[in-house]
Amino acid sequence: LILIWALKPKVFFRQFFFVSDLVIVTVSIALELTFKFMDDDTLTAMVGLLILGRVWRFVRIGHGIVEVTADAAREKYEVLVDYTSDLE
């Protein structure tokens, strides 16, 4: 919700991954609350959806870390490549 406020709703809802993260978190919280009041058979059937959503969040976080690291390395080595080109 803070991200929606910070980016403004118009910008936030244009980004597919922000919206998908919001849906996953909302559904996850709703399922957690629903599981408190359901019987065990229904619970076991719905746990897979909850686990899938949470795994998706970890994949998104890992992808973000890799993306930021790759951009930082590219910027760092771009200076070195330019310097080497100037020396040649």
Side-chain angles (χ1 to χ4, degrees), residues 8-80:
K8 308 294 184 222
K10 190 174 188 178
V11 175
F12 180 86
F13 288 106
R14 287 185 182 169
Q15 301 294 323
F16 172 75
F17 289 114
F18 287 158
V19 174
S20 65
D21 284 345
L22 177 67
V23 168
I24 288 170
V25 169
T26 304
V27 168
S28 178
I29 291 171
L31 289 175
E32 283 286 339
L33 294 174
T34 304
F35 290 161
K36 292 279 187 190
F37 304 107
M38 291 185 140
D39 61 346
D40 290 340
D41 293 337
T42 308
L43 177 64
T44 56
M46 300 289 279
V47 167
L49 181 62
L50 182 62
I51 291 172
L52 181 65
R54 289 187 176 168
V55 167
W56 172 252
R57 292 280 299 156
F58 284 114
V59 168
R60 289 273 301 130
I61 291 168
H63 178 263
I65 291 170
V66 168
E67 191 76 23
V68 168
T69 304
D71 288 344
R74 189 176 308 116
E75 288 175 9
K76 179 181 177 181
Y77 291 115
E78 193 172 291
V79 173
L80 293 174

